């Protein structure tokens, strides 16, 4: 694992290089919509997209943003975390979440939070058992028509 590098993706080219991995989590997005949303989130929400590279290949991606709410206070919200299907269970997700925890601490945020789809039981086990996250709420969504 000495060949691993964590890199914040800034350019449109780098952001697009992460699309094949991100698409494994965000299957509803096409490349154009993905790029538009990432660029807008970076501009308006201080969203950061970070890749874990293994010998120049993107093997995992995490997207996060700093937030402030009355419930959580100053915290970092993990919007997206995905490891390439062929590279799972190799510690890559842990490395990226640890990176976000360090970023949060270095920038004076108090906690890190995320949501995870109900069907993602392996991810839930990872968050609770490996990363020591607490299950604190359900997330509800209503589409505006």
């Amino acid at each position: 694992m000495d060949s691993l590098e964590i890199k914040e993706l800034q350019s449109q080219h780098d952001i697009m290089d992460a699309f094949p991995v991100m698409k494994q989590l965000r299957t509803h997005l096409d490349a154009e919509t993905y790029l538009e949303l990432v660029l807008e989130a970076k501009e308006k929400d201080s969203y950061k997209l970070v890749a874990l590279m293994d010998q120049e290949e993107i093997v995992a991606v995490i997207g996060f943003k700093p937030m402030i709410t009355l419930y959580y206070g100053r915290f970092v919200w993990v919007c997206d975390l995905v490891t390439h299907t062929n590279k799972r269970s190799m510690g890559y997700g842990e490395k990226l979440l640890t990176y976000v925890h360090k970023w949060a601490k270095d920038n004076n945020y108090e906690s890190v939070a995320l949501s995870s789809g109900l069907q993602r039981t392996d991810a839930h086990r990872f968050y609770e058992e490996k990363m020591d996250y607490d299950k604190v709420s359900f997330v509800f969504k209503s589409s505006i028509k």
Side-chain angles (χ1 to χ4, degrees):
M1 281 218 219
D2 335 283
S3 60
L4 296 180
E5 174 191 359
I6 293 178
K7 175 183 176 183
E8 184 173 348
L9 306 178
Q10 301 279 4
S11 72
Q12 289 189 23
H13 180 322
D14 287 349
I15 292 166
M16 287 309 299
D17 282 349
F19 180 68
V21 176
M22 185 65 79
K23 177 78 172 164
Q24 294 175 18
L25 177 66
R26 304 296 179 217
T27 56
H28 64 286
L29 292 177
D30 60 42
E32 183 180 333
T33 304
Y34 159 78
L35 181 61
E36 286 174 11
L37 289 172
V38 169
L39 293 176
E40 184 175 359
K42 285 173 68 62
E43 178 187 337
K44 293 182 179 175
D45 275 346
S46 301
Y47 178 83
K48 300 184 179 313
L49 186 62
V50 175
L52 182 65
M53 317 282 292
D54 187 357
Q55 299 180 11
E56 308 280 325
E57 176 190 2
I58 295 176
V59 295
V61 180
I62 194 165
F64 66 96
K65 62 184 180 175
M67 294 181 68
I68 301 169
T69 66
L70 298 179
Y71 179 66
Y72 286 124
R74 294 175 47 80
F75 72 104
V76 172
W77 182 258
V78 176
C79 307
D80 315 285
L81 173 58
V82 60
T83 297
H84 190 287
T85 306
N86 300 335
K87 305 285 185 174
R88 296 204 174 132
S89 299
M90 297 175 71
Y92 296 150
E94 181 178 2
K95 285 195 177 307
L96 285 176
L97 267 182
T98 299
Y99 171 88
V100 171
H101 287 205
K102 182 179 180 332
W103 187 96
K105 184 175 183 178
D106 291 349
N107 289 278
N108 300 312
Y109 288 89
E110 300 162 358
S111 61
V112 176
L114 54 84
S115 69
S116 180
L118 295 172
Q119 76 284 7
R120 302 183 65 81
T121 54
D122 289 341
H124 303 166
R125 193 169 31 262
F126 166 71
Y127 296 131
E128 291 179 299
E129 295 174 12
K130 183 80 172 177
M131 298 305 297
D132 201 29
Y133 277 61
D134 295 320
K135 192 181 299 180
V136 296
S137 67
F138 287 98
V139 175
F140 296 90
K141 175 184 171 187
S142 176
S143 296
I144 306 302
K145 298 174 184 175

